[in-house]
């Protein structure tokens, strides 16, 4: 189902948290709400789910206005960031969720078994919900959310605070699970790599405002302003009349389209070569050296360069001049 | 020591001979304190929930007042209710002073802050997003309250125990608004005070044993319900 937001103003006490004149989230696609901590992403997700009421503005899902959680409950499945369970077993928790959606017993049983297999929580089903680890809780939350098979699935930071192997395991399973069990999906994340791996479309939110809405392929190449560029990992350099943004990972040792003097501070050995930590003017950044490249000494100044297509120029009003 | 032993023997005699006066006082005690506790639960649980979950101006002040009320001296509550219900008071026309209803009102006022406070604390100790989860799953307000009450039942039963324990054992308010009228408003605590003042120590001890047994029985029952495995 298509999600439409218009004129959303949300304040916490007196501070503005969200100012969104308009936003459309496309039906049948996975959309990542990407932004730094405190950007208002989770609040936006809660507004969509009717869990928060904005001071003004309207949310519709499939054309139906959402004024509260009750309006949204038959359309939305919400996966909370924290492990939120009732007392009792994981099976009971999944069953309660499906019972509140008024599903008959046979259907509930079948869905629980299906999602338990899909989310790899079969051994957890009869374990008390307060006796599962964070990672197991995330899988159980995902199973409960997807078991609802709602037209819209909302996932709030489904991979946050997980250890690296658990995160990687869930990150690799999630796209398949979403394809099989979810339709329109909105995922909140602050991690660019997660957004790239999970989403079809990316919405970047900074300071409560939507800065960019783009398909995944285009989201990282055209940041509309300095803040967005900095959040996307661009290296920001002061220039006359504005600032220059160098795309992440494009700097190479040696001269090229646009060259810079790079002051070497530290050289770190990595499995793929060397990471050289240093600075261009006062901007600290890292340059990757492939295996076999000459290793500069700390304190030395070397020439590094980037293709001109990977450099954006922002004028003093923070709009790209390129 | 001998007097204490004599008191126990007298208590057993009164209980097992089904002494009509003792039975009547005990029954009245349970009726008055039980009614007050039930009313306090009916009012206090929703209010405690609202204080725990609500986001409104003055919430912290309201919580502070409730916590202050939890330690209110019963005799002061009794005095307040007496001033309201006495014939010359604002509610004097209701003619409730020196009746069981007046005692229920006073005991209600004593127990309701305890029920509100314990309820608010137990609801606040639940995961903060539990209400949101239930709302997002489509549970209405009543069903959400029922699920949350089930989750917080340890605290809620503690609220019942605290409320009932406070009113069944208080004497000041019952004496002030009930008047300790024989056959009308005499309850175990006021009867104990009277017996002691008359020097009927064995009877006072006997009534004390009955009161303690009653409180113990109610609390044991609630504890078994509270600690039942889920």
């Amino acid at each position: 189902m298509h999600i439409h937001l218009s004129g959303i103003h949300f304040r916490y006490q007196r501070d503005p948290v969200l100012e969104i004149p308009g936003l459309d989230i496309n039906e049948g696609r996975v959309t990542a709400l990407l932004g730094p901590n405190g950007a208002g992403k989770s609040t936006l997700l809660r507004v969509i789910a009717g869990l928060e009421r904005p001071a003004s503005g309207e949310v519709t899902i499939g054309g139906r206005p959402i004024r509260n959680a009750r309006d949204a409950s038959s359309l939305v499945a919400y996966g909370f960031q924290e492990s939120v369970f009732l007392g009792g077993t994981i099976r009971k928790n999944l069953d309660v969720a499906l019972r509140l959606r008024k599903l008959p017993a046979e259907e509930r049983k079948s869905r629980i078994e299906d999602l338990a297999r899909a989310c790899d929580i079969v051994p957890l089903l009869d374990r008390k919900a307060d006796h599962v680890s964070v990672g197991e809780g995330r899988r159980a939350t995902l199973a409960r959310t997807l078991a609802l098979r709602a037209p819209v699935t909302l996932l709030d930071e489904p991979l946050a605070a997980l250890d690296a192997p658990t995160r990687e395991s869930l990150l690799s399973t999630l796209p398949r699970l979403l394809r099989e069990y979810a339709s329109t999906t909105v995922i909140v994340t602050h991690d660019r790599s997660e957004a790239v791996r999970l989403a079809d479309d990316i919405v970047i939110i900074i300071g409560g405002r939507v800065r960019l809405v783009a398909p995944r392929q285009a989201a990282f190449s055209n940041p509309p302003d300095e803040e967005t560029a900095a959040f996307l990992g661009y290296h920001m350099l002061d220039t006359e009349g504005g600032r220059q943004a160098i795309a992440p990972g494009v700097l190479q040792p040696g001269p090229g389209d646009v060259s810079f003097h790079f002051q070497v501070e530290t050289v770190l050995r990595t499995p793929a070569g060397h990471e050289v930590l240093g600075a261009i003017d006062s901007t600290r950044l890292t340059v990757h050296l492939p295996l076999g490249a000459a290793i500069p000494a700390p304190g030395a100044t070397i020439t590094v360069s980037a293709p001109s297509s990977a450099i954006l120029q922002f004028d003093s009003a923070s709009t790209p001049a390129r | 020591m001998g007097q204490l032993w004599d008191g126990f023997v007298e208590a057993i005699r009164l209980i097992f001979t089904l002494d009509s006066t003792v039975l009547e006082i005990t029954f009245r005690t349970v009726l008055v304190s039980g009614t007050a506790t039930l009313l306090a639960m009916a009012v206090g649980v929703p209010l405690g929930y609202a204080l725990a979950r609500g986001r409104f101006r003055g919430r912290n002040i309201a919580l502070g007042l409730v916590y202050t009320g939890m330690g209110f001296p019963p005799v002061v509550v009794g005095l307040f209710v007496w001033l309201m219900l006495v014939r010359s008071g604002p509610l004097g026309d209701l003619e409730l002073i020196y009746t069981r209803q007046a005692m229920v009102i006073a005991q209600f006022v004593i127990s309701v802050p305890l029920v509100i406070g314990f309820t608010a604390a137990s609801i606040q100790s639940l995961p903060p997003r539990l209400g949101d989860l239930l709302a997002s799953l489509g549970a209405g307000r009543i069903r959400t309250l029922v699920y949350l009450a089930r989750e917080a039942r340890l605290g809620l039963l503690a609220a019942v125990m605290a409320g009932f324990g406070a009113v069944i054992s208080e004497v000041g308010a019952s004496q002030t608004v009930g008047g300790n009228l024989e056959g009308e408003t005499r309850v175990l605590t006021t009867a104990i005070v009277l017996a002691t003042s008359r020097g009927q120590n064995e009877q006072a001890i006997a009534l004390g044993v009955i009161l303690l047994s009653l409180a113990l029985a109610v609390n044991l029952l609630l504890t078994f319900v509270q600690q039942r495995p889920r």
Side-chain angles (χ1 to χ4, degrees):
Chain A
M1 277 184 174
H2 180 89
I3 303 169
H4 174 73
L5 295 98
S6 62
I8 298 291
H9 293 266
F10 184 92
R11 291 176 206 290
Y12 180 71
Q13 291 168 350
R14 284 181 186 173
D15 301 327
V17 176
L18 286 176
E19 301 282 341
I20 301 178
L23 177 65
D24 286 284
I25 293 172
N26 295 323
E27 181 173 2
R29 290 174 72 83
V30 179
T31 301
L33 299 182
L34 176 65
N37 290 332
K41 312 178 295 290
S42 295
T43 306
L44 177 55
L45 204 68
R46 290 173 61 78
V47 167
I48 294 172
L51 293 169
E52 300 284 358
R53 188 182 295 183
S56 62
E58 190 188 44
V59 179
T60 60
I61 297 177
R64 289 160 65 174
I66 305 298
R67 291 172 297 259
N68 50 46
R70 205 166 180 73
D71 290 339
S73 65
S74 62
L75 305 172
V76 161
Y78 196 104
F80 289 86
Q81 183 180 347
E82 310 89 344
S83 288
V84 188
F85 295 109
L86 296 165
T89 62
I90 295 292
R91 185 191 301 278
K92 182 195 150 191
N93 271 274
L94 267 65
D95 190 64
V96 166
L98 296 171
R99 205 183 312 156
L100 283 169
R101 295 294 172 97
K102 300 183 175 57
L103 291 173
E106 272 307 303
E107 176 69 13
R108 297 202 301 265
K109 193 169 173 240
S110 146
R111 284 200 194 185
I112 290 169
E113 284 169 8
D114 184 18
L115 263 302
R117 272 193 302 273
C119 296
D120 199 18
I121 58 160
V122 174
L124 302 181
L125 278 179
D126 294 311
R127 203 186 292 175
K128 290 274 181 69
D130 51 4
H131 288 139
V132 297
S133 68
V134 177
E136 290 168 339
R138 286 287 157 75
R139 284 187 179 276
T141 298
L142 196 61
R144 179 175 62 196
T145 312
L146 297 178
L148 299 173
R149 298 202 186 143
V152 171
T153 301
L154 307 176
L155 299 175
D156 190 0
E157 301 261 15
L159 304 168
L162 294 178
D163 60 64
T166 311
R167 177 179 174 276
E168 184 51 42
S169 152
L170 200 50
L171 190 55
S172 56
T173 1
L174 204 46
R176 176 180 58 78
L177 291 172
L178 295 178
R179 266 197 312 278
E180 281 181 37
Y181 297 100
S183 175
T184 308
T185 304
V186 185
I187 299 180
V188 163
T189 178
H190 63 270
D191 187 300
R192 298 189 298 266
S193 66
E194 271 177 32
V196 170
R197 286 178 66 175
L198 296 174
D200 303 311
D201 298 319
I202 291 178
V203 176
I204 295 178
I205 301 176
I206 299 173
R209 293 168 191 272
V210 173
R211 304 299 181 97
L212 180 75
V213 182
R216 175 182 53 196
Q217 298 82 352
F220 297 95
S221 53
N222 281 306
D225 54 54
E226 281 183 41
E227 258 187 304
T228 310
F231 171 69
L232 290 176
Y234 279 71
H235 306 297
M236 307 303 296
L237 302 177
D238 289 322
T239 57
E240 279 177 27
R243 298 187 86 191
Q244 219 168 27
I246 308 168
V250 298
L251 282 173
Q252 296 291 326
D257 282 359
V258 185
S259 299
F260 303 92
H261 295 299
F262 180 78
Q263 181 82 37
V264 177
E265 289 175 5
T266 316
V267 182
L268 300 174
R269 178 85 168 87
T270 67
H274 290 87
E275 296 290 332
V276 184
L277 281 63
I280 298 174
D281 297 331
S282 60
T283 304
R284 300 174 63 77
L285 42 81
T286 303
V287 175
H288 175 72
L289 298 182
L291 280 172
I295 303 166
T301 300
I302 61 171
T303 300
V304 295
S305 62
S308 54
S309 60
I311 296 178
L312 300 176
Q313 189 76 40
F314 289 96
D315 60 24
S316 51
S318 182
T319 49
R322 180 171 66 85
Chain B
M1 192 65 194
Q3 209 172 42
L4 198 63
W5 175 250
D6 290 345
F8 276 118
V9 173
E10 177 68 2
I12 290 162
R13 189 191 68 75
L14 289 171
I15 293 164
F16 284 98
T17 57
L18 299 176
D19 182 273
S20 60
T21 309
V22 169
L23 281 182
E24 179 207 306
I25 292 174
T26 305
F27 177 72
R28 189 179 301 120
T29 304
V30 173
L31 185 72
V32 169
S33 296
T35 307
T37 308
L38 284 176
L39 288 173
M41 291 296 290
V43 173
V45 170
L47 280 179
Y49 174 79
L51 275 179
R53 294 276 160 173
R55 282 186 284 181
F56 54 88
R57 199 171 291 212
R59 177 178 166 274
N60 287 345
I61 292 173
L63 268 175
L65 288 173
V66 165
Y67 292 144
T68 307
M70 288 172 82
F72 232 53
V75 70
V76 177
V77 174
L79 174 65
F80 174 75
V81 176
W82 184 85
L83 288 169
M84 291 287 121
L85 298 182
V86 75
R87 305 228 187 276
S88 56
L91 302 175
D93 289 346
L94 297 175
E95 298 189 346
L96 288 175
I97 194 70
Y98 306 129
T99 64
R100 285 190 293 270
Q101 288 89 330
M103 294 165 76
V104 169
I105 292 169
Q107 293 196 353
F108 167 81
V109 176
I110 292 166
S111 60
V112 81
L114 288 159
V115 175
I116 296 173
F118 274 87
T119 302
S122 61
I123 296 286
Q124 281 182 316
S125 70
L126 295 176
R129 297 282 184 228
L130 208 49
D132 284 345
L133 170 72
L134 292 164
S136 76
L137 290 170
R141 282 189 185 181
I142 301 291
R143 201 177 286 192
T144 298
L145 184 61
V146 169
Y147 272 109
L148 291 180
R150 225 181 267 172
E151 292 301 305
R153 66 180 185 163
L154 283 173
L156 292 182
L157 284 167
V160 183
M161 287 189 241
F164 185 74
V167 293
I168 201 172
S169 60
E170 71 81 25
V171 63
S174 294
Q175 182 86 41
T176 310
V177 303
N180 195 23
L181 305 177
E182 189 177 359
E184 291 293 330
T185 58
R186 184 160 298 164
V187 289
L188 284 166
T189 50
T190 56
I192 291 169
V193 171
L194 184 67
T196 310
S197 69
R198 285 177 175 169
Q200 299 165 333
N201 292 349
E202 284 84 3
Q203 194 172 1
I205 292 169
L207 292 169
V209 169
I210 292 168
L211 178 62
L212 283 175
S213 307
L214 193 62
L216 180 68
V218 171
N219 280 309
L220 274 180
L221 178 72
L222 290 171
T223 305
F224 279 115
V225 174
Q226 186 190 47
Q227 300 297 324
R228 197 176 49 190
R230 285 193 286 181

